[in-house]
Coordinates of all heavy atoms in Angstrom, one line a residue:
Chain H
G55 N -88.6 -235.0 122.6 CA -88.4 -234.0 123.8 C -89.2 -234.3 124.9 O -89.0 -233.8 126.0
E159 N -77.9 -256.8 131.3 CA -76.4 -256.9 131.2 C -75.8 -256.7 132.5 O -76.1 -255.8 133.2 CB -76.0 -255.8 130.1 CG -76.1 -256.4 128.7 CD -75.2 -257.5 128.4 OE1 -74.0 -257.4 128.3 OE2 -75.7 -258.6 128.2
E168 N -65.2 -247.0 137.6 CA -64.2 -247.0 138.6 C -64.3 -248.3 139.5 O -65.4 -248.9 139.7 CB -64.4 -245.8 139.4 CG -64.2 -244.5 138.8 CD -63.7 -243.4 139.6 OE1 -63.6 -243.5 140.8 OE2 -63.5 -242.2 139.0
L235 N -82.9 -240.3 162.6 CA -82.7 -240.5 161.1 C -81.5 -239.7 160.6 O -81.3 -238.5 160.8 CB -83.9 -240.2 160.4 CG -84.0 -240.2 159.0 CD1 -84.0 -241.7 158.4 CD2 -85.1 -239.3 158.3
Y264 N -101.8 -234.5 130.7 CA -100.4 -234.5 130.8 C -99.7 -234.8 132.0 O -100.5 -234.7 133.0 CB -99.9 -232.9 130.4 CG -98.5 -232.8 130.0 CD1 -98.1 -233.4 128.7 CD2 -97.6 -232.1 130.7 CE1 -96.7 -233.3 128.4 CE2 -96.4 -231.9 130.3 CZ -95.8 -232.5 129.2 OH -94.5 -232.4 128.9
Q305 N -78.0 -223.5 152.2 CA -78.3 -222.0 152.3 C -79.0 -221.6 151.0 O -78.6 -220.7 150.4 CB -77.2 -221.2 152.6 CG -76.6 -221.4 154.0 CD -75.3 -220.5 154.4 OE1 -75.5 -219.3 154.1 NE2 -74.4 -221.0 155.0
G348 N -103.0 -226.6 142.2 CA -103.2 -225.5 141.3 C -103.9 -225.7 140.1 O -104.5 -226.8 140.0

Side-chain angles (χ1 to χ4, degrees):
Chain H
E159 275 292 288
E168 293 204 5
L235 178 66
Y264 192 64
Q305 299 185 37

